[in-house]
Amino acid sequence: MTRTIVESKTKTAIIGFDQPFCVIGERINPTGRKILSEELERGDFSRVEADAVAQVMAGANILDVNSGAVFSNKMAEDPRYADNNFVEPTLMKELIERVQAIVDIPLCIDSSVPGALENGLAAAEGRPLLNSVTGEEDRMELVLPLVKKYNVPVVAISNDDTGISEDPDVRFAVAKKIVERAADFGIPAHDIVVDPLVMPIGAMGTAGLQVFALVRRLREELGVNTTCGASNISFGLPNRHGINNAFLPMAMAAGMTSAIMNPVALPIGPKKIEEKKAEVEAAGIVLPADMTDEAFVQMFGMGSTKPQSGKEMEAIRAANFLTDNDAHGSEWIKANKIAPKAGQEGRGRAGRTGGRRRG
């Protein structure tokens, strides 16, 4: 049975056909997050640390750490900052050290810059996952020796110098080429986690069917574990959570064993709370003067003022239970257990002590 082992200093995450679905938290990534990039440029890692903790609390098994920041202000002062090969190696080392100092969870080192990958590997404790290698010959020649040198698993993305093909047979052929080239370096198939590339369903109606078929082939013919950027499937569509929540269990049923995704339902901010309060008051509803913002958003089904486990995590936990990868439903029960109100601890229904009904 194929198992990919990813480790921190003291903890192990196993990606495998017979294992619970592995969630790789994607939040530590400055790409498209202008505020995070600006903070990193100032040497402020507080958001990184908060994102690390929130993702672990939400149920992430591995944390992806991406160093692709753009330092616009420093770039104006020093042209070297326009080059990711200059910025990312130093930043990756700092990110890895900061994250490891606050959470003990296996890491995924994510960069397109070989120097950043190597600095991350040197800084990481345990056995991290490397993200990523693609099917271009020069990329394989750069990344696969690092995989072998540090004895780590690697994400293999199914595109090469011809780009991303819409033909699933071509994407399978690229994955097979990477697995075969990895074998030339002495890297076993169980250390290759293939990303077959999920296309947006809004742009390609067969995207879901394609990836399900690809995952089955990758499992049956190459014997490899798989991953994906889970939110790609819903890109550009309304109610993306609804699409994602359906996609993930279906992908799991097809044999997908992990996903790079956001496990956190982001907190409701003050602006949205004030807007909703104004709407409620306009409807003539009088709120208690002492009602907290958290009680308010819970009452009106808005979510929470604190980071929580996202709806996608709920779908994954349910699918783990239904596929017998959650023994006795213990994780499902733990995640959905409602804490007793003050004074009600140890009481059964209707506040009675014990759980049995009187005859």
Side-chain angles (χ1 to χ4, degrees):
M1 192 65 74
T2 300
R3 290 183 174 182
T4 304
I5 307 298
V6 189
E7 297 173 322
S8 66
K9 187 175 182 179
T10 65
K11 294 185 178 177
T12 299
I14 303 175
I15 306 173
F17 304 153
D18 61 342
Q19 298 293 308
F21 193 74
C22 185
V23 174
I24 304 171
E26 69 180 8
R27 292 284 296 165
I28 304 173
N29 186 343
T31 305
R33 297 181 70 189
K34 185 179 179 182
I35 293 174
L36 179 56
S37 276
E38 290 172 350
E39 289 174 348
L40 293 175
E41 186 172 13
R42 298 194 304 268
D44 178 0
F45 291 85
S46 58
R47 191 178 302 267
V48 167
E49 293 169 348
D51 280 343
V53 171
Q55 290 182 103
V56 172
M57 293 295 290
N61 308 108
I62 297 171
L63 293 185
D64 187 88
V65 179
N66 183 292
S67 56
V70 176
F71 290 171
S72 301
N73 294 326
K74 288 185 177 181
M75 200 184 299
E77 300 167 5
D78 185 341
R80 291 180 299 173
Y81 281 95
D83 183 3
N84 277 24
N85 289 288
F86 177 75
V87 174
E88 290 201 38
T90 301
L91 178 60
M92 179 62 83
K93 180 177 183 294
E94 181 77 2
L95 286 169
I96 294 293
E97 290 173 348
R98 293 275 184 162
V99 172
Q100 285 180 156
I102 198 164
V103 293
D104 182 20
I105 187 171
L107 302 181
C108 176
I109 300 167
D110 185 356
S111 178
S112 60
V113 175
L117 294 177
E118 182 141 32
N119 271 14
L121 286 167
E125 298 171 333
R127 190 174 196 252
L129 176 64
L130 203 64
N131 189 8
S132 58
V133 65
T134 52
E136 296 96 333
E137 190 61 36
D138 58 348
R139 182 71 180 174
M140 290 189 287
E141 289 293 333
L142 284 170
V143 176
L144 292 178
L146 287 177
V147 174
K148 180 62 177 177
K149 175 182 176 182
Y150 287 90
N151 184 30
V152 294
V154 64
V155 174
I157 302 179
S158 298
N159 69 280
D160 58 15
D161 32 27
T162 64
I164 300 173
S165 174
E166 293 187 0
D167 184 342
D169 289 334
V170 172
R171 300 208 299 278
F172 177 84
V174 173
K176 184 178 180 182
K177 176 174 69 173
I178 297 172
V179 171
E180 290 172 347
R181 289 290 286 116
D184 292 341
F185 285 88
I187 301 164
H190 66 249
D191 275 340
I192 309 293
V193 181
V194 173
D195 181 346
L197 292 169
V198 175
M199 305 295 190
I201 192 73
M204 181 189 296
T206 59
L209 293 173
Q210 278 194 8
V211 77
F212 303 149
L214 259 173
V215 166
R216 290 188 191 98
R217 286 192 71 189
L218 290 164
R219 174 173 176 162
E220 292 167 5
E221 297 181 35
L222 299 184
V224 293
N225 281 306
T226 45
T227 195
C228 71
S231 63
N232 289 355
I233 192 70
S234 61
F235 181 78
L237 292 173
N239 189 13
R240 296 185 67 184
H241 293 296
I243 299 292
N244 297 345
N245 292 349
F247 169 74
L248 282 162
M250 294 175 75
M252 292 167 67
M256 188 169 281
T257 47
S258 69
I260 301 170
M261 54 178 280
N262 178 16
V264 182
L266 298 180
I268 304 299
K271 183 178 179 182
K272 286 189 177 181
I273 293 172
E274 289 308 312
E275 289 173 351
K276 186 65 177 179
K277 282 183 177 179
E279 179 186 322
V280 168
E281 289 170 5
I285 300 172
V286 179
L287 299 171
D290 60 349
M291 176 175 273
T292 64
D293 284 349
E294 179 64 18
F296 175 79
V297 298
Q298 291 278 350
M299 176 178 285
F300 289 95
M302 297 174 66
S304 175
T305 59
K306 305 168 186 176
Q308 290 187 325
S309 182
K311 287 294 183 183
E312 285 86 346
M313 292 298 297
E314 186 175 275
I316 288 169
R317 289 190 180 105
N320 280 334
F321 192 4
L322 291 166
T323 55
D324 198 27
N325 281 317
D326 176 9
H328 310 295
S330 58
E331 290 300 316
W332 175 261
I333 293 167
K334 183 170 70 174
N336 289 280
K337 189 174 183 180
I338 299 172
K341 294 179 181 179
Q344 297 295 312
E345 297 88 347
R347 293 175 177 267
R349 294 181 180 178
R352 291 191 297 270
T353 302
R356 297 181 63 185
R357 300 176 66 181
R358 286 179 292 187

